[in-house]
Amino acid sequence: MTTTFITGANKSLGYETARRLVEAGHTVIVGARDPRRGRAAADALGARFVQIDVTDDASVAAAVADVRAHEGSIDVLVNNAGILGTPNAADQITAADASAVFEVNVVGIVRVTHAFLPLLRESANPVIVNVSSGMGSFAATHDTERVEGRFVAPLYTASKAAVTMLTTQYAKSWPDVKVNAADPGYTATDFNGHSGPQTVTEGTDAIVELATIGTDGPTGTFRDRHGAMAW
């Protein structure tokens, strides 16, 4: 049975990813910062809850120790936790604002991936899915025909571009691990006041697809629910 750990899995895309992977037969570990919400989500899903704050070394180390003690290893890591950051205009953005966004969206992925990599490498088919965004695509954000080209969010877009590049670099570095990035697309979630035209199920199509690849699956790719995304 495939064991999957998902960060930020207590709501929205993370929760729906967890639900679908449980349905697909995975043993799912719901990672969340808030114990009350995380435990409630796990109970509703038929999953197990593990507290994790992706910005805290000690919290991540404790989560790894918990999983090692209970499951022994994992097969799939879904780095889903992320924040939008300040709504301030570009000329009002501070270094502290930037640090807050990158600490969760980028450094958090590095922290969690580094910590869980030994558990992943005990799998016969280790897989990492980093939840990126079309908002981090240079092509999409320069195309005014696309929704990504009509929004300005300097820190979020920059952080997601970093996530996609980090994904491709990890994939090149680790031939034994499949590492891919998923773009959920413009999905109705808390991030956008539920204004997105896609359902959370549609928004998790690429994540679930990449989380369920076999030993002959891709690595170093960036995909949405329709296929390959332009960088």
Side-chain angles (χ1 to χ4, degrees):
M1 184 173 287
T2 301
T3 300
T4 300
F5 188 96
I6 308 172
T7 64
N10 63 291
K11 65 177 183 177
S12 298
L13 294 170
Y15 183 92
E16 180 65 6
T17 299
R19 185 193 68 78
R20 294 181 68 181
L21 291 178
V22 167
E23 190 175 77
H26 287 215
T27 295
V28 172
I29 306 162
V30 169
R33 184 176 56 180
D34 185 307
R36 182 181 61 81
R37 293 178 180 175
R39 193 167 288 109
D43 289 346
L45 290 165
R48 193 171 79 82
F49 166 67
V50 171
Q51 195 276 337
I52 187 169
D53 179 346
V54 303
T55 69
D56 183 83
D57 287 338
S59 175
V60 173
V64 171
D66 186 311
V67 173
R68 185 181 291 280
H70 287 84
E71 286 79 20
S73 64
I74 63 171
D75 303 288
V76 181
L77 172 64
V78 180
N79 285 308
N80 168 73
I83 62 172
L84 184 59
T86 178
N88 290 345
D91 59 356
Q92 298 297 315
I93 291 172
T94 66
D97 293 331
S99 293
V101 173
F102 275 76
E103 183 65 23
V104 176
N105 294 3
V106 184
V107 180
I109 288 179
V110 174
R111 179 178 287 111
V112 172
T113 301
H114 173 75
F116 274 94
L117 193 58
L119 295 187
L120 274 166
R121 282 192 158 134
E122 294 180 24
S123 170
N125 183 36
V127 170
I128 298 172
V129 182
N130 294 326
V131 179
S132 187
S133 172
M135 291 290 286
S137 161
F138 286 83
T141 55
H142 285 81
D143 182 352
T144 55
E145 296 300 311
R146 292 182 61 105
V147 66
E148 296 92 342
R150 301 193 294 272
F151 283 93
V152 177
L155 298 181
Y156 182 75
T157 54
S159 72
K160 290 302 185 179
V163 168
T164 304
M165 179 60 77
L166 184 64
T167 299
T168 63
Q169 293 296 304
Y170 276 164
K172 288 181 179 181
S173 300
W174 305 328
D176 59 323
V177 182
K178 295 178 183 64
V179 191
N180 294 286
D183 167 30
Y186 191 17
T187 303
T189 67
D190 293 348
F191 260 39
N192 52 48
H194 295 271
S195 63
Q198 290 187 161
T199 66
V200 286
T201 300
E202 292 170 327
T204 56
D205 281 349
I207 304 171
V208 171
E209 177 188 356
L210 291 170
T212 55
I213 57 175
T215 55
D216 59 345
T219 191
T221 66
F222 179 31
R223 300 180 66 81
D224 67 6
R225 65 191 297 259
H226 302 293
M229 276 288 293
W231 305 107

